Amino acid sequence: MDKKNTISIIVASDNHYAILIAALLKSIDVNHHTEEHIDFYIIDDGISAKFKRQLMGVVASERISIKWIDANTMVPEGFSIPIDNSAFPRTTYLRVFSPYVLDKELERLIYLDVDTIVQGDISGLWHTPLGNNVIAAAIDVGKTLDCAWGGVPNFAELGLTADTKYFNAGVLLIDLVKWRRDDISAKVVKALHDHKRHVRLADQYGLNVVLANRWEVLDPRWNWFAFADHDQPFLVHFLDVKPIFTTYHSHEKWRSEFFRYLALTPWKDFKPINGNRRVFRKAYNKIKKRLMKLIGA
């Protein structure tokens, strides 16, 4: 396979949210019209064998190759994922290490949260110029580091200004050469450990600390948040309650789009799950982290 004419995409999921991958993958397939082959890497954090077998038939392998990466091989020796106070699962942090589990000859990578669907040709994101920057990302809902509910609360002690732009880490175009050269993964993990009492929104905090003023601002249509309306976004991101739950409350048309893609997969008869399961899962994640802190894991 010609790596120079191949788009590399990586996602990460546990079994709880794996069905989101099906709609995302099909949305990429349906809207990809340029000649590049796509390598679609999935960091597998406990996804069932049955799901994996079914997913392999969602796309034609001559157009999109599905490649699995065991989550247990992601974290290099000597590194540890910080135990924060959030409800985010371990899976969230694995994107930080993704540049190191792919072929060294790869120079670019697109990271996507699984709670996204692609409405335009992913080739447009792939060919976005990065200039001298390490990544390209879209400005987050919070906009700047001093946002009240996310951001980087200790921006001043880090030598950053309140109005420094703050990005959403759910869609990233990564220059792998610069990332590896500058050892970004190690720096992000160090920032998360050193400033753990300030960490909000998991590794998004560390990424914004380490890459402050070193990122290209994406067209917001490449990370359009599902609570907002738009005529033609390139990618829709379900930041809040996912469309697989009965308690979904973002724009209805984006849920309809999600299920339009899902209907083209083996999960066409899927019915939304009771929203209480989402609440229980978040509570489980928090309790698990507290126990890990108590036993010093």
Side-chain angles (χ1 to χ4, degrees):
M1 189 67 65
D2 180 9
K3 295 296 182 183
K4 295 293 184 182
N5 201 34
T6 299
I7 295 172
S8 300
I9 302 170
I10 197 164
V11 302
S13 183
D14 56 18
N15 200 54
H16 186 64
Y17 284 116
I19 193 168
L20 297 174
I21 300 174
L24 169 58
L25 179 60
K26 198 62 193 179
S27 73
I28 293 170
D29 182 34
V30 167
N31 294 299
H32 180 50
H33 304 298
T34 49
E35 63 181 5
E36 301 101 335
H37 184 82
I38 294 175
D39 281 342
F40 190 81
Y41 298 88
I42 302 171
I43 300 169
D44 167 19
D45 198 11
I47 298 172
S48 74
K50 179 181 179 182
F51 178 89
K52 289 192 279 190
R53 286 195 303 271
Q54 290 178 298
L55 191 72
M56 297 302 286
V58 166
V59 292
S61 59
E62 60 268 20
R63 279 175 45 82
I64 301 178
S65 300
I66 300 174
K67 304 186 177 188
W68 300 93
I69 301 171
D70 185 347
N72 295 315
T73 67
M74 289 290 296
V75 183
E77 188 175 348
F79 285 84
S80 62
I81 294 175
I83 303 173
D84 59 29
N85 297 314
S86 74
F88 290 104
R90 172 187 81 147
T91 319
T92 305
Y93 288 93
L94 297 179
R95 62 183 156 201
V96 172
F97 303 105
S98 56
Y100 294 97
V101 297
L102 305 179
D103 292 342
K104 292 295 187 290
E105 70 232 47
L106 295 183
E107 297 179 355
R108 279 194 168 204
L109 177 67
I110 292 172
Y111 167 83
L112 299 177
D113 276 354
V114 291
D115 59 345
T116 58
I117 52 173
V118 176
Q119 298 289 86
D121 194 325
I122 198 68
S123 180
L125 176 58
W126 180 251
H127 291 291
T128 298
L130 284 171
N132 293 319
N133 296 299
V134 179
I135 65 166
I139 292 175
D140 192 72
V141 179
K143 299 187 184 304
T144 52
L145 296 188
D146 65 342
C147 68
W149 55 270
V152 177
N154 59 327
F155 62 85
E157 72 174 79
L158 297 171
L160 300 169
T161 59
D163 62 351
T164 301
K165 292 175 182 175
Y166 174 64
F167 63 82
N168 180 278
V171 178
L172 301 173
L173 174 63
I174 303 170
D175 183 320
L176 294 174
V177 176
K178 292 187 179 72
W179 183 289
R180 292 168 181 145
R181 181 196 67 196
D182 297 345
D183 207 7
I184 299 299
S185 298
K187 291 175 180 175
V188 169
V189 172
K190 185 176 188 304
L192 291 168
H193 281 293
D194 290 351
H195 310 291
K196 58 185 175 184
R197 68 189 182 93
H198 298 292
V199 173
R200 299 174 182 174
L201 302 180
D203 58 317
Q204 184 164 294
Y205 168 91
L207 287 163
N208 271 277
V209 167
V210 173
L211 295 170
N213 302 311
R214 297 184 63 192
W215 56 283
E216 184 72 22
V217 179
L218 277 178
D219 184 325
R221 289 177 294 176
W222 276 116
N223 193 353
W224 192 258
F225 307 130
F227 55 73
D229 195 14
H230 196 285
D231 290 336
Q232 284 188 311
F234 303 142
L235 180 149
V236 177
H237 190 175
F238 298 98
L239 277 183
D240 197 7
V241 182
K242 313 312 174 194
I244 60 173
F245 295 110
T246 56
T247 47
Y248 174 86
H249 54 257
S250 293
H251 264 271
E252 185 59 35
K253 77 176 183 180
W254 302 135
R255 174 158 59 178
S256 296
E257 283 295 277
F258 173 87
F259 279 101
R260 179 170 72 89
Y261 295 120
L262 196 63
L264 301 174
T265 77
W267 295 273
K268 62 180 182 298
D269 296 323
F270 175 85
K271 303 299 181 187
I273 304 165
N274 188 303
N276 287 333
R277 282 183 56 180
R278 170 181 172 269
V279 176
F280 293 151
R281 184 69 179 184
K282 289 167 76 73
Y284 167 81
N285 288 338
K286 283 192 172 186
I287 292 168
K288 182 179 178 181
K289 287 181 180 181
R290 286 174 188 161
L291 290 174
M292 290 175 71
K293 285 182 179 180
L294 286 173
I295 64 175

